Amino acid sequence: MNNRKYPTSLFIIGFIMNIFFRFFWLFVPAVVLMIVGIFVAPCLYIGLAIFALDVVLSLIEQIKIRNTFLKDSDNPDFQAFQDALSRDGGWTDNLGELLEQKLSEGQNEITADDESEDE
């Protein structure tokens, strides 16, 4: 079994992003109903219920993402991504290095293809 760890900060960021953007169709009505709920009590309760559903679904989605990250993969690009996030040091720095490496490899492949076409 691997000893890979999913960064806690990524879990929290992903959870918040899920609340606002992945389940946007729940977040907006919940906020609108809670604002209306200032004046009408039943709307407040309905808005809170919808927001609670949004939070639960966002947490479930983020747990699925975390479990997918922790599983072994056959895809070499995803393995490189997993290793970059799991390595010691800041995950942002490691991810930046991985992206620079992949971009430079892509530029080298484009240059090599152009040179072979010229011949």
Side-chain angles (χ1 to χ4, degrees), residues 6-17 62 85 90-92:
Y6 189 72
T8 306
S9 58
L10 277 182
F11 187 86
I12 294 169
I13 291 169
F15 173 69
I16 293 170
M17 296 295 282
Q62 195 58 34
L85 290 180
W91 62 267
T92 54

Side-chain angles (χ1 to χ4, degrees), residues 27-41 43-44 47-48:
F27 180 73
V28 171
V31 170
V32 169
L33 284 169
M34 286 189 286
I35 291 171
V36 172
I38 294 171
F39 306 106
V40 181
C43 289
L44 176 65
L48 287 173

Side-chain angles (χ1 to χ4, degrees), residues 7 80-101:
F81 176 72
Q82 288 173 317
D83 293 338
L85 290 180
S86 299
R87 255 188 320 208
D88 289 336
W91 62 267
T92 54
D93 297 334
N94 295 339
L95 195 57
E97 291 172 11
L98 176 67
L99 289 174
E100 287 176 12
Q101 177 187 2

Side-chain angles (χ1 to χ4, degrees), residues 3-96:
N3 56 0
R4 208 174 275 131
K5 291 184 179 180
Y6 189 72
T8 306
S9 58
L10 277 182
F11 187 86
I12 294 169
I13 291 169
F15 173 69
I16 293 170
M17 296 295 282
N18 286 338
I19 288 174
F20 290 128
F21 299 111
R22 176 128 178 122
F23 297 105
F24 183 76
W25 51 274
L26 286 174
F27 180 73
V28 171
V31 170
V32 169
L33 284 169
M34 286 189 286
I35 291 171
V36 172
I38 294 171
F39 306 106
V40 181
C43 289
L44 176 65
Y45 300 127
I46 294 170
L48 287 173
I50 293 173
F51 185 70
L53 178 65
D54 186 12
V55 169
V56 168
L57 290 176
S58 298
L59 184 62
I60 291 170
E61 186 69 26
Q62 195 58 34
I63 289 172
K64 286 181 183 178
I65 292 169
R66 178 186 173 274
N67 290 339
T68 301
F69 175 82
L70 294 177
K71 287 182 184 175
D72 290 329
S73 173
D74 295 335
N75 186 335
D77 291 330
F78 189 65
Q79 288 174 351
F81 176 72
Q82 288 173 317
D83 293 338
L85 290 180
S86 299
R87 255 188 320 208
D88 289 336
W91 62 267
T92 54
D93 297 334
N94 295 339
L95 195 57

